[in-house]
Amino acid sequence: MQLLASYLSGAWSAGSGPKTALVNPATEAVLAEVHAGGHDLGGAFQHARATGARELGGMTFAQRGALLAGLARAIHGAREELIALAVANGGNTRGDAKFDIDGGAATLSHYAELGARLGGARLLADGEVIQVGRTARMAGQHVWAPRTGVAVHINAFNFPGWGLCEKLACALLAGMPVIAKPATATALVAHRMTELFAPLVPAGALQLLVGPAGSLLDHLGPGDVVAFTGGSATARVLREQPVIARHGVRLNLEADSLNAAVLAPDVELAAETGALFVFDLVRDMTQKTGQKCTAIRRVLVPAERAGDVADALRERLGRIAVGDPAHDGVGMGPLATAQQRDDVRAGIAELAEATSSIFGGTGEIEPVGVPAGKGYFVGPVVRATSTPNSCAPLHDREIFGPVITVAPFSGDPEIAAAFVARGEGCLVSSAYSDDRDWVGRFAAAAAPWVGRLYLGSSKMASQSPGPGTVLPQLLHGGPGRAGGGEELGGERGLRLYMQRCALEGDASLLKALIGTP
Ligand code: NAP
């Protein structure tokens, strides 16, 4: 039995205290165990502040970018091993596992390239030099400088690889040392990645805590950053931590999201844009068994297309085998934990009281290749409501599994945007249309409610990654219920880990300070 160790203060330590088991969610076989605590977390913060910050601070952006390129190569070198861990510990199909692991490597590579472009600079310019005096000689220039504390990264169970890498890429490139805490249930991938990364990063730049957070946050101080991804209940707990308010710790929250997809009235389902819409719905329901923060949950279709959409979903979903993802031909695996299965079942039961079934009933399923009674399985579920405005569970409860609800509308773009807004803040929402006027009206009204607006059309269908794919070039995060956080978005992603400062002085000096030495 593997006992997972944490990587703290430059050494691997198993900790002590009660143990939690990490299991295969398809078979419930125990894969590893982790102790609940027994670590010197104060020492880990000290190590990051004294050693990690100094080491990273002595490097240029280009050097830190080269470091990230090395981490991406390490993932590529161990790709098959990491995929096997994700299949076993995450209930991932091979495709799901690649999405997590290749996505992590691609994000590291993106920021490696950004580091190369930023070169030898130590401060990042924010805008242009501004004349603030009587003549152009007296000027101001906003700059970004690395924060000097520790970046604490708390990640959700659903993307153990990508979650580690996307936060790490931005923090290390900005120059901040990291203490990463993966979700306990699926920590095997992040643990193995850290084993690969540890010899490649400067001392103190990356530490890993496996198992519960314990007193992790008690050690926060001025200049530190907490980047959290997970449920809104945990986000609330973090927001209310006195230590965060006391030290003005910067807190970035990525939480729940009830993402919407809208089919516009100009789109025939048989056309390219209509096919993209159905493809994206099915992919978001089944990829990672619907356990994606960006997955579509709420669907709005013109009333006259509702029957066609239901038929298309029945036909596509009916072909997907659900079972142990280690078996050939399985297209959707189990949920990641027993608690997840129970939460999803409870959510479906609540939804079922207010909706009718289009496909899958309430998710009962006979999984393929699984010992009788084992595994945390829920089948794909499509529900329907004819009264989207008064169907409270549709807009209030994130069911973090393979479940969508379809509702009809008149086709009016402002009504579609109001439907998006009922989610009270989404990471992403999407519209499928080839009518630019319709899209313009929809986008203007919906944009304030979403971090990213995906606009599906026949012009981009052949190269679309779908709304559920988070890209390093574009912002990830959303207002309101989604937590109000911002990650990634190219160079914007570094700002969480940097401090903006207005420099004021002689214009030629300011220009020299932001130039490459
Ligand atoms: P969770 O239960 O909130 O846990 C998230 C992380 O927080 C885990 O690492 C967990 O550790 C840790 N944690 C729990 N209590 C803590 C505390 N008091 N102090 C510090 N850390 C604490 O969420 P989850 O079940 O892993 O993930 C599912 C949720 O994440 C869904 O709601 C989903 O929408 C959301 N999500 C959002 C995004 C996004 O980008 N917005 C992305 C992915 C997922 P343990 O595992 O050790 O308990």
Side-chain angles (χ1 to χ4, degrees), residues 238-255:
L238 298 197
R239 214 176 238 139
E240 288 163 6
Q241 293 288 317
V243 69
I244 289 188
R246 193 179 327 125
H247 295 301
V249 172
R250 196 175 279 177
L251 178 63
N252 194 75
L253 299 174
E254 301 288 347

Side-chain angles (χ1 to χ4, degrees), residues 154-159 162 166-167 181-185 211-214 216-217 228-235 237-238 241 253-257 291-294 297 339-340 398 400 427 470 476-478 482 487:
I154 301 175
N155 278 314
F157 72 82
N158 56 339
F159 281 95
W162 176 83
E166 59 102 15
K167 288 186 171 62
K181 193 213 115 31
T184 302
L216 181 68
L217 302 182
F228 167 82
T229 298
S232 54
T234 315
V237 171
L238 298 197
Q241 293 288 317
L253 299 174
E254 301 288 347
D256 302 0
S257 184
Q291 299 164 111
K292 284 190 311 189
C293 53
T294 50
R297 310 286 178 203
Q339 188 194 334
Q340 255 294 102
E398 182 201 46
F400 206 58
L427 292 172
V470 175
H476 176 59
E487 290 184 328

Side-chain angles (χ1 to χ4, degrees), residues 282-510:
V282 173
R283 173 167 51 190
D284 268 16
M285 287 183 72
T286 55
Q287 189 173 47
K288 289 249 169 200
T289 319
Q291 299 164 111
K292 284 190 311 189
C293 53
T294 50
I296 297 162
R297 310 286 178 203
R298 303 177 295 136
V299 183
L300 201 60
V301 301
E304 64 276 17
R305 303 251 190 278
D308 291 348
V309 170
D311 288 345
L313 288 171
R314 280 191 203 101
E315 196 273 319
R316 291 287 310 277
L317 291 168
R319 287 194 258 134
I320 291 173
V322 180
D324 183 344
H327 284 252
D328 285 346
V330 165
M332 190 176 100
L335 295 163
T337 63
Q339 188 194 334
Q340 255 294 102
R341 177 201 53 199
D342 295 346
D343 283 353
V344 168
R345 281 189 181 157
I348 295 172
E350 192 184 326
L351 194 58
E353 287 187 10
T355 58
S356 57
S357 175
I358 289 180
F359 182 86
T362 53
E364 292 79 14
I365 192 104
E366 281 295 322
V368 177
V370 175
K374 291 290 184 190
Y376 313 134
F377 291 94
V378 173
V381 169
V382 183
R383 308 291 308 182
T385 176
S386 55
T387 54
N389 288 334
S390 56
C391 184
L394 170 62
H395 304 290
D396 294 346
R397 178 167 185 154
E398 182 201 46
I399 304 176
F400 206 58
V403 184
I404 60 169
T405 302
V406 181
F409 82 123
S410 62
D412 182 287
E414 276 82 21
I415 289 177
F419 180 81
V420 171
R422 281 292 305 275
E424 297 182 358
C426 301
L427 292 172
V428 58
S429 283
S430 47
Y432 296 78
S433 177
D434 290 302
D435 176 343
R436 288 195 175 189
D437 290 338
W438 190 96
V439 173
R441 286 171 58 191
F442 170 78
W449 292 99
V450 292
R452 179 162 53 90
L453 210 45
Y454 166 99
L455 304 170
S457 72
S458 57
K459 291 244 167 38
M460 50 73 99
S462 65
Q463 39 180 314
S464 163
T469 300
V470 175
L471 300 168
Q473 301 91 330
L474 301 181
L475 177 71
H476 176 59
R481 186 204 298 267
E486 291 194 354
E487 290 184 328
L488 301 174
E491 196 177 311
R492 292 171 192 83
L494 305 190
R495 295 180 186 169
L496 177 61
Y497 305 102
M498 303 186 90
Q499 179 62 43
R500 187 162 22 204
C501 170
L503 299 177
E504 196 177 352
D506 162 38
S508 61
L509 169 68
L510 300 189

Side-chain angles (χ1 to χ4, degrees), residues 33-93:
E33 290 181 318
V34 59
H35 281 296
H39 301 291
D40 176 10
L41 297 176
F45 273 82
Q46 181 55 25
H47 183 55
R49 290 200 173 99
T51 308
R54 188 190 60 233
E55 294 280 332
L56 289 168
M59 296 168 78
T60 63
F61 284 107
Q63 289 167 327
R64 297 195 288 254
L67 189 160
L68 297 181
L71 303 190
R73 278 195 300 276
I75 292 179
H76 288 305
R79 184 168 178 263
E80 287 304 320
E81 183 193 356
L82 291 165
I83 288 172
L85 284 176
V87 170
N89 186 208
N92 290 188
T93 63

